[in-house]
Structure formats: structure tokens, C-alpha cells
Amino acid sequence: MAMTEPKRARTGADSARRVLDVLFAFSEDQPVLSVKEIAEVTSLPLPSAHRYVALLREEGLMVEGERGRYHLTPRVTSLGRAARAANTVIDVAEPHLRRLVDAIGETVLLARIVQGVPVCIHRVEAPRRLRLSFEPGQSLPPLRGASVKVLVASMGNAERAAYLDRVVADRPDLAGSRAEFENEIALAADRGWATSTQEIDEGVWAVAAAITDGDHIVASLSAACPSFRLDAERKTNILDQVRHTADAISRAVTG
């Protein structure tokens, strides 16, 4: 078993790279391609190109047009817009994040909604690194954590209900947490910030505040802190600084 698992992992990674190669074959200069052209651009065998195109069609990322030629769907372009928006927020926020880390000595994170799911998009480490269970680009655990409360609170009622329905359908074990989480996000929506204690990582207290573009919440800023370094006064100080920094980033985002 010890010898077969790495091989499986490599095989899965290679397949994922080939799928990405198929997506990257499309460009502004070549927005429509046949399977044969995809195979030529990616150096894939034709049967493999057919297989990956079929997979992307099933996932709603590619559609067949006229004469057996394919193009990407708006689902892919929405990912591109999300990435550009995330990069804009990161670029604007970066100096503010570094000043915040210097001021509080704790790791800070940015998160936003990507394709209907809260995702960590950036992290600035404190000199004393903190072990966290997620990385930039990774979805945040559902119904847990200060950032998730702030971001889900930013959703409209219908979008929020759909998100919660999906979470509970995928994770029936979380059904009992839904009512308490709804209370938490109602409070977050009213205050513009939220806290959590050991909801994601053991021994970690976190606070998150909303970053807005003037009208809508576009991201959350959070600080993750080991509980053993905190007392009530320090928690209040970190909360105030996170909220102040989120406000400064919001003003910078709106120009």
C-alpha cells in the first residue's frame, strides 16, 4: 500500500494538469477549438483530448458549438472575474495587512465569496507562525469561523438560504448547527464583524471584519490568534485594530 498511494497521487495530479492544459488551450486569439486542435495545442493523444473535453462538458465549463467545435462557458469567465477581483483587493490591502501584523503580532487573512463559497484568498504571517488548517485558495470550513460568518452575512436572503441548504445537504452532520449559525450571521450582519473561539483550529480565537466597496461586502479581514496569548483587554485591542484596518481597506477599495 505504501508504494501504490504515491503512484495514485501522481496519476491524479497528472490528470488534473492535463485538464488545466485543455482549459488553457483557449485564449482571446483562439476562443473556439475542435478536439483535434485541442489535442495539437496540448500535445495530448486524441482519445485523451476527447475524454477531457467530455469531462469539462459534464462540469459545465465547456460547450459544443457549430461543426464540432468547442468554447468555454460563462462559468469559466466568472472564475476569471473572481480572480481579478480578488487580486485587486489583495493589491490594495497588502500594505494595510502588513501594518496590522506589525501592530498586533498575529497572522491575518483575507477571504471572499468565490463561486458561492467562502474562500481564503491571502494570508500574511506573523513572525511567530500559527499553524492553521487552511491555505490561500482553499475553501473555508462551512458554518464555522469568524470570516465565514461575516461573508455569509453579506449574502442576500435567497443566496444565504441556498448556501445553507447546500451545506446541510453535503454535510448532514451540520444540520443541528444551522440555527445557531443563522443567529451568529444575523449578529455579524448587524455589527459588521464576528468572532470565533476554537471553531476551526483548536486553541485559536479569531476576529473578522467586513471590507466593503461602499455598498457591498467584498471581502473579510480576520486575525487568528492563539488563545493562550490573549486576555479580555488584548482581544478588545485586536478587534478594534482589525475593524480599523478593514475600514481603511474599504476606503482604499472605493478610491
Side-chain angles (χ1 to χ4, degrees):
M1 178 66 70
M3 294 184 65
T4 57
E5 288 295 352
K7 183 177 179 180
R8 281 189 198 137
R10 285 196 302 272
T11 301
D14 288 344
S15 295
R17 290 190 188 96
R18 292 185 185 115
V19 170
L20 291 174
D21 286 342
V22 171
L23 287 174
F24 293 146
F26 293 85
S27 67
E28 291 184 8
D29 295 330
Q30 292 183 305
V32 180
L33 295 169
S34 67
V35 177
K36 182 179 179 182
E37 289 168 333
I38 291 170
E40 292 172 351
V41 171
T42 59
S43 299
L44 285 170
L46 190 57
S48 297
H50 276 288
R51 186 168 69 252
Y52 293 127
V53 166
L55 172 63
L56 291 167
R57 289 182 67 188
E58 289 176 8
E59 295 300 319
L61 299 173
M62 187 182 293
V63 66
E64 185 176 3
E66 296 180 357
R67 300 178 182 176
R69 294 168 67 79
Y70 294 85
H71 60 85
L72 302 179
T73 69
R75 187 174 180 188
V76 176
T77 57
S78 67
L79 289 172
R81 286 195 298 271
R84 286 193 296 274
N87 286 336
T88 299
V89 173
I90 292 169
D91 291 343
V92 170
E94 181 74 19
H96 298 277
L97 301 183
R98 298 206 172 275
R99 285 194 290 271
L100 178 60
V101 169
D102 290 342
I104 66 176
E106 305 292 354
T107 295
V108 300
L109 307 97
L110 284 178
R112 65 177 294 136
I113 299 294
V114 178
Q115 292 289 291
V117 177
V119 173
C120 175
I121 61 171
H122 191 51
R123 183 165 84 185
V124 177
E125 297 278 0
R128 295 176 291 186
R129 287 195 148 201
L130 179 63
R131 186 185 182 96
L132 297 172
S133 60
F134 53 87
E135 299 287 339
Q138 194 172 349
S139 299
L140 300 178
L143 307 196
R144 286 179 286 165
S147 292
V148 173
K149 294 171 190 176
V150 169
L151 292 173
V152 175
S154 74
M155 298 177 177
N157 291 335
E159 184 184 6
R160 185 186 304 172
Y163 168 77
L164 294 172
D165 288 344
R166 287 197 308 272
V167 167
V168 172
D170 291 339
R171 292 280 305 276
D173 58 302
L174 295 177
S177 305
R178 177 168 180 164
E180 181 181 355
F181 182 75
E182 288 181 313
N183 291 334
E184 292 280 346
I185 58 178
L187 188 59
D190 182 57
R191 299 188 303 194
W193 56 271
T195 63
S196 64
T197 302
Q198 301 193 113
E199 292 183 14
I200 298 178
D201 291 295
E202 185 177 355
V204 174
W205 176 85
V207 56
I211 296 171
T212 73
D213 62 1
D215 298 313
H216 305 96
I217 294 174
V218 296
S220 71
L221 165 65
S222 64
C225 318
S227 297
F228 73 85
R229 290 208 288 258
L230 303 174
D231 56 21
E233 182 179 358
R234 179 155 165 75
K235 283 183 179 180
T236 299
N237 177 261
I238 291 173
L239 170 60
D240 288 344
Q241 296 211 49
V242 168
R243 293 178 64 191
H244 175 77
T245 302
D247 287 344
I249 296 171
S250 297
R251 291 193 296 272
V253 166
T254 56

